[in-house]
Amino acid sequence: MNGWRPIEVLLVEDDQGDILLTKEAFDLNKVRNRLNVVNDGEQAMAFLRREGEYVDAPRPDLILLDLNLPRMSGKEVLGEVKADEVLRTIPVVVLTTSEAEEDILHSYRLHANAYVTKPVDFEQFIRVVRQIDDFFVTVVKLPAQGQRL
């Protein structure tokens, strides 16, 4: 039996340059994942709750979340995801430019699964995204699609 299935990743990012870099990193890596992108916190919650235009959205296996978002901050998104019985099992990696200790602590207090600072250098950024992808696709065992704990 082949247990392989594509990994659904939700990127919550408002910076178009970072979106392009992340897509490129995923393209350079494996084809087995699918990258879905939303540009603000409200869209992220609509996607996760399958509301409005996102009614047919796949349930993500992994969320890459920027903290600095318009309309609803990444911290607010993280808090809502981890407080929601249906969504809390989805791993959330905070991928942000902030190196502030308070942001790191606050993210972990809200139960982020990892906190990664975006490198400014193009090659480093690509490497970091590929490592996150490799870790969650290859190393970590995720629940079957649609399963709740």
Side-chain angles (χ1 to χ4, degrees):
M1 179 173 116
N2 181 1
W4 179 87
R5 70 172 175 81
I7 300 298
E8 297 287 346
V9 179
L10 176 61
L11 174 63
V12 186
E13 175 63 69
D14 64 318
D15 183 290
Q16 293 304 311
D18 287 348
I19 292 169
L20 276 157
L21 286 176
T22 305
K23 284 181 177 178
E24 186 165 331
F26 271 64
D27 289 345
L28 290 171
N29 205 3
K30 300 170 186 71
V31 229
R32 64 173 138 187
N33 50 44
R34 285 187 263 205
L35 187 64
N36 303 280
V37 180
V38 293
N39 301 117
D40 65 48
E42 288 181 4
Q43 287 177 357
M45 294 313 301
F47 186 99
L48 291 166
R49 293 182 175 138
R50 297 180 176 142
E51 297 170 344
E53 67 182 282
Y54 302 108
V55 72
D56 294 320
R59 177 182 167 88
D61 297 296
L62 173 65
I63 300 169
L64 299 178
L65 178 66
D66 186 22
L67 289 184
N68 306 310
L69 297 169
R71 299 175 51 186
M72 180 182 195
S73 76
K75 290 177 190 173
E76 291 171 302
V77 171
L78 179 59
E80 284 200 29
V81 167
K82 293 304 181 177
D84 187 305
E85 187 178 314
V86 174
L87 302 175
R88 73 171 53 127
T89 58
I90 302 171
V92 178
V93 174
V94 173
L95 183 60
T96 188
T97 55
S98 175
E99 293 183 37
E101 189 66 24
E102 64 191 54
D103 286 340
I104 297 167
L105 284 171
H106 192 74
S107 295
Y108 282 118
R109 284 185 184 126
L110 291 172
H111 305 287
N113 296 84
Y115 189 101
V116 179
T117 304
K118 293 178 194 172
V120 181
D121 172 75
F122 171 77
E123 292 297 325
Q124 282 283 74
F125 185 92
I126 297 289
R127 192 172 11 253
V128 163
V129 172
R130 289 176 71 183
Q131 287 172 338
I132 291 168
D133 181 51
D134 281 342
F135 181 71
F136 279 96
V137 170
T138 308
V139 178
V140 173
K141 180 77 175 150
L142 298 170
Q145 188 72 10
Q147 294 296 311
R148 293 187 348 192
L149 297 177

